[in-house]
Amino acid sequence: MEAVLKLENVSKKIGKKTIIDNLSLSVQPGEVFGFLGPNGAGKTTTIRMIVGLMKITQGDIAICGKSIQKDFEEAVSHIGAIVENPEMYKHLTGYQNLVQYARMHKGVSKERINEVIQSVGLTNRINEKVKTYSLGMRQRLGLAQCLLHEPKLLILDEPTNGLDPAGIREIRDQLRTLTKEKGMSVIVSSHLLSEMEMMCDRIAIIQNGRLVDVQNVKDFLDTDQLAFVVETGPLDNSVTWLKEDWGVEILENGFSVLARKEEIPALLKRLIDSGVDLYGAKQVSKSLEDRFLEITDMAGGQING
Amino acid sequence: MVNLIINEWVKHFRKAGTYVMIGLILLVVIGVGALEKYEEIKNPTFNPDWKEELQQQIADDKKFLEENKNDNIDSMTERNIAINEYRLENNLPPSPEKNIWSFVYDANMAVELAGLFTIIIAAGIVASEFSGGTIKLLLVRPISRSKILLSKYITVVLYGVFYLAIIYVFSCILGAILFGMPNSDVPHLAYVDGQVVERNMGIYLIGLYLLNSINLLMIATMAFMISAVFRNSSLALGISLFLFFIGSSVTYILSSYFDWVKYILFANTDLSVYTDGGPMVDSMTLGFSITMLIIYFIAFHALAFGIFKKRDVSA
């Protein structure tokens, strides 16, 4: 299957500074793909290059096989995007705003506009001026704006920013519907890691303009090996076998170990048999956040000045 | 392309400011009308002794011409003498009673106001998209940047034409109501190459409005360029309005000292000097002025489009 989005060795230099360094990745149809990275990592710059707001210094970006540099109009017609905040014409109503954008695409009917308004839940307020809208309503209008022409690739920069929990959940459900039923691909960027866990199929971790890692969210979270912390009295000479057989890390009053769940009873039994006082054992779940910090930390946690 | 222009048009017509501008233009025309009507009632203008007065005027002018030797003033005086003599020969009184055409002619001072408003629109039309952040949603459409910028420029020009049309049509209507149609045909007298010629008044006035708006068009184009290049509407507005109001007078003052003044934009924007009177610098011709205008026009657009197309948008 042809990738919806393909970045090939993309670099961006502003002056002498390299903002994006040799980035390559691809997004498949029907996939929710996340850009994750600390502030200033280059997420938004990457998105701006994908939608053609910024020029690419080196490499190329193709959307549905069309180069954004050589074939801009064709390539960008497959994209619906919100870049940073969805800024609209504040002196127009929500509906008038959507009509503005509908005029710039081919074949967006009145029915289609109303259908989109319905789907983002703005029917009741659509004839009010945008300056009376809350941030959450603007987000919804922004989403409506990029769905009008039924794009193949949806790009949402921080889509849940400013939404209440119910709104966040709604957006999430909507993304599921769009990807699963209409086969749309979605790129989201967010600093809310827990959000990314719930929304994305794959996540690219970007740092200092480099791609650190691309992971499946499932693999990211469900490794067989779980981390446990075991609280004990003095370990004495049990330390030797613990280290040799289990590879534990000794803590102040106990140790931590990576193991599969079913192996734990055997470990605890042997501890008791060795006469070590056992006070407790608990699983420490490893969230995406830990993994994220771990990975970015390995790559050096400084924002390049 | 048509859709883009409709979009721009809609954006402006949803703003209260647009109606204030139209209202102000109408007010100025009404104001001029009211003043002239008041004048007319207070002191009727027709002077039965106009022939004697003109003869006196011609004699004065001839005397003045002999005593002074200044190229600029001379050509003006020669023109006045010629026209006045023509009036005597053909029995055409210089100030017949007020009529629709004389009012339309007087109302053309409102063109300055139309220019002012057109410049305001030109200065904001690109810059406001940047300051509002809406440029991002505008540029991620399947439409090239040149087309978007071109649609905005065409909108500016259409606005200028729209305001001019309002002034012309409204002053025709108001003039007809207040002063009525002229009793006899009143031609416009022009002085071309030492000859006096009669011209149809209605067409002359449309021509006058259009000629007056060349200055307007060039400065609006410049405001548009500054707006697109610097993304700053205050800068565009400030520079353009400054030049709009003082550009031609400064150029006029400079023209008596330097010859290179003829290359300045404002020395060339008033093309009516080639049909009525003389240019600022004697070596200038109509062809020269048109060439200069085209060069400036292309330069402004080359800058605006070149930079707008290449720009990284990070607003």
Side-chain angles (χ1 to χ4, degrees):
Chain A
M1 211 168 357
E2 192 193 26
V4 173
L5 172 71
K6 203 163 185 168
L7 275 73
E8 272 171 27
N9 309 317
V10 172
S11 294
K12 174 74 185 172
K13 291 194 180 95
I14 295 179
K16 281 187 178 167
K17 223 160 75 181
T18 305
I19 311 289
I20 299 292
D21 191 8
N22 213 13
L23 200 64
S24 297
L25 53 85
S26 63
V27 176
Q28 302 303 317
E31 183 177 42
V32 182
F33 193 88
F35 281 170
L36 191 58
N39 288 335
K43 288 170 297 186
T44 300
T45 305
T46 310
I47 288 179
R48 283 179 197 280
M49 286 195 288
I50 295 173
V51 299
L53 286 176
M54 277 187 166
K55 303 280 175 246
I56 302 162
T57 312
Q58 253 165 48
D60 199 8
I61 295 175
I63 295 123
C64 298
K66 304 281 180 191
S67 159
I68 193 82
Q69 299 182 96
K70 294 179 208 102
D71 213 348
F72 173 77
E73 296 186 31
E74 178 72 20
V76 89
S77 68
H78 299 298
I79 297 182
I82 304 179
V83 182
E84 291 181 318
N85 301 320
E87 272 111 356
M88 300 284 180
Y89 301 104
K90 293 193 175 67
H91 63 287
L92 303 183
T93 67
Y95 190 80
Q96 287 161 353
N97 264 293
L98 291 183
V99 170
Q100 285 263 328
Y101 297 116
R103 282 200 198 99
M104 290 191 263
H105 290 281
K106 286 191 193 90
V108 180
S109 63
K110 260 198 174 130
E111 291 74 36
R112 174 67 192 159
I113 298 178
N114 289 327
E115 184 187 319
V116 170
I117 293 170
Q118 180 80 41
S119 75
V120 297
L122 269 180
T123 312
N124 294 330
R125 301 284 302 273
I126 198 68
N127 287 318
E128 288 173 34
K129 291 202 169 175
V130 171
K131 60 183 159 203
T132 67
Y133 282 20
S134 67
L135 183 52
M137 290 167 68
R138 283 177 202 188
Q139 284 283 11
R140 284 162 193 257
L141 189 58
L143 192 61
Q145 161 274 130
C146 53
L147 289 175
L148 278 179
H149 54 291
E150 302 186 74
K152 295 208 173 72
L153 175 66
L154 205 58
I155 298 178
L156 308 174
D157 204 358
E158 316 246 345
T160 55
N161 197 2
L163 290 183
D164 53 26
I168 293 177
R169 204 204 157 91
E170 232 172 277
I171 291 248
R172 209 158 61 216
D173 292 345
Q174 221 162 38
L175 292 191
R176 287 263 158 252
T177 330
L178 290 172
T179 49
K180 298 294 169 277
E181 283 171 18
K182 305 218 163 168
M184 234 177 237
S185 306
V186 183
I187 292 179
V188 284
S189 83
S190 177
H191 59 273
L192 289 176
L193 304 160
S194 51
E195 269 310 311
M196 296 288 258
E197 277 180 276
M198 285 186 273
M199 269 193 276
C200 299
D201 300 316
R202 282 198 302 157
I203 291 177
I205 295 172
I206 298 175
Q207 198 186 24
N208 293 337
R210 280 193 206 97
L211 187 66
V212 178
D213 200 8
V214 179
Q215 294 228 8
N216 273 317
V217 171
K218 282 216 177 87
D219 301 347
F220 212 68
L221 298 171
D222 304 342
T223 40
D224 285 348
Q225 302 261 305
L226 295 169
F228 292 88
V229 169
V230 184
E231 200 183 331
T232 62
L235 289 170
D236 301 329
N237 44 19
S238 298
V239 172
T240 331
W241 64 261
L242 277 170
K243 279 197 167 165
E244 276 171 13
D245 298 356
W246 296 87
V248 305
E249 197 178 324
I250 306 297
L251 305 171
E252 204 176 321
N253 35 16
F255 59 89
S256 72
V257 62
L258 278 175
R260 291 208 306 273
K261 203 165 190 164
E262 52 273 23
E263 292 173 331
I264 295 300
L267 170 64
L268 297 182
K269 191 158 185 292
R270 189 164 170 192
L271 271 178
I272 295 169
D273 289 347
S274 317
V276 176
D277 293 333
L278 191 60
Y279 297 109
K282 63 175 182 228
Q283 183 190 331
V284 262
S285 70
K286 217 156 199 198
S287 72
L288 184 59
E289 185 156 353
D290 294 322
R291 290 292 307 247
F292 167 67
L293 291 175
E294 203 176 277
I295 289 172
T296 52
D297 201 41
M298 284 187 321
Q302 293 297 311
I303 293 173
N304 274 347
Chain B
M1 196 67 193
V2 176
N3 275 346
L4 288 176
I5 295 171
I6 294 175
N7 270 353
E8 295 298 327
W9 200 261
V10 168
K11 274 186 245 175
H12 277 274
F13 264 89
R14 300 281 181 197
K15 279 186 189 152
T18 309
Y19 295 97
V20 174
M21 289 181 189
I22 294 173
L24 277 175
I25 287 181
L26 295 185
L27 265 181
V28 166
V29 177
I30 292 173
V32 172
L35 265 176
E36 292 195 352
K37 189 72 192 170
Y38 177 75
E39 279 287 308
E40 191 191 46
I41 295 167
K42 223 176 133 196
N43 23 293
T45 42
F46 192 69
N47 179 0
D49 303 328
W50 64 271
K51 285 194 175 171
E52 279 161 36
E53 230 170 61
L54 272 190
Q55 266 156 357
Q56 184 59 42
Q57 179 72 44
I58 292 169
D60 286 352
D61 281 348
K62 282 189 172 159
K63 213 171 120 198
F64 180 80
L65 207 58
E66 276 166 21
E67 286 167 5
N68 293 285
K69 286 281 168 253
N70 179 321
D71 282 351
N72 269 326
I73 301 172
D74 279 2
S75 59
M76 282 289 288
T77 321
E78 273 166 21
R79 169 173 169 260
N80 286 342
I81 294 171
I83 288 182
N84 285 339
E85 281 175 343
Y86 188 89
R87 285 188 188 284
L88 284 177
E89 278 164 33
N90 295 280
N91 200 23
L92 289 167
S95 54
E97 286 167 50
K98 290 267 172 224
N99 63 48
I100 169 172
W101 300 126
S102 68
F103 179 65
V104 174
Y105 179 84
D106 291 337
N108 103 67
M109 65 178 82
V111 171
E112 293 271 306
L113 200 61
L116 178 76
F117 294 154
T118 309
I119 290 170
I120 291 177
I121 289 173
I125 199 162
V126 179
S128 69
E129 299 273 1
F130 277 97
S131 59
T134 46
I135 189 77
K136 288 178 294 188
L137 289 182
L138 194 59
L139 292 186
V140 297
R141 306 290 144 189
I143 297 165
S144 71
R145 289 191 185 187
S146 321
K147 277 190 204 152
I148 288 186
L149 196 63
L150 183 62
S151 73
K152 283 182 176 293
Y153 182 71
I154 291 176
T155 309
V156 170
V157 174
L158 285 180
Y159 260 97
V161 173
F162 174 68
Y163 285 139
L164 285 180
I166 285 185
I167 296 172
Y168 190 83
V169 171
F170 186 68
S171 61
C172 278
I173 295 172
L174 197 67
I177 295 173
L178 288 179
F179 308 104
M181 300 299 283
N183 300 328
S184 57
D185 207 27
V186 211
H188 167 71
L189 297 181
Y191 181 71
V192 188
D193 298 331
Q195 291 283 321
V196 178
V197 264
E198 292 188 19
R199 298 243 165 96
N200 176 295
M201 203 63 175
I203 292 171
Y204 162 74
L205 285 171
I206 291 182
L208 178 79
Y209 273 57
L210 288 179
L211 279 180
N212 271 358
S213 51
I214 287 178
N215 190 22
L216 182 164
L217 175 77
M218 292 307 293
I219 297 183
T221 305
M222 186 177 69
F224 183 79
M225 180 272 288
I226 297 173
S227 174
V229 170
F230 295 99
R231 294 164 293 166
N232 184 334
S233 60
S234 335
L235 184 74
L237 202 55
I239 295 180
S240 312
L241 286 187
F242 179 72
L243 292 176
F244 182 59
F245 285 120
I246 72 141
S248 31
S249 21
V250 168
T251 313
Y252 188 75
I253 295 168
L254 286 177
S255 70
S256 20
Y257 301 103
F258 309 106
D259 201 40
W260 52 258
V261 167
K262 65 180 176 183
Y263 297 108
I264 294 177
L265 174 61
F266 301 101
N268 296 291
T269 48
D270 186 9
L271 293 183
S272 65
V273 294
Y274 296 110
T275 54
D276 302 306
M280 278 189 194
V281 180
D282 281 336
S283 60
M284 288 167 68
T285 62
L286 183 63
F288 172 81
S289 282
I290 291 177
T291 313
M292 286 311 293
L293 289 176
I294 291 174
I295 290 174
Y296 272 103
F297 189 80
I298 291 175
F300 287 152
H301 278 307
L303 268 174
F305 279 86
I307 292 179
F308 187 76
K309 272 175 76 176
K310 290 221 173 77
R311 154 153 294 136
D312 277 347
V313 177
S314 52

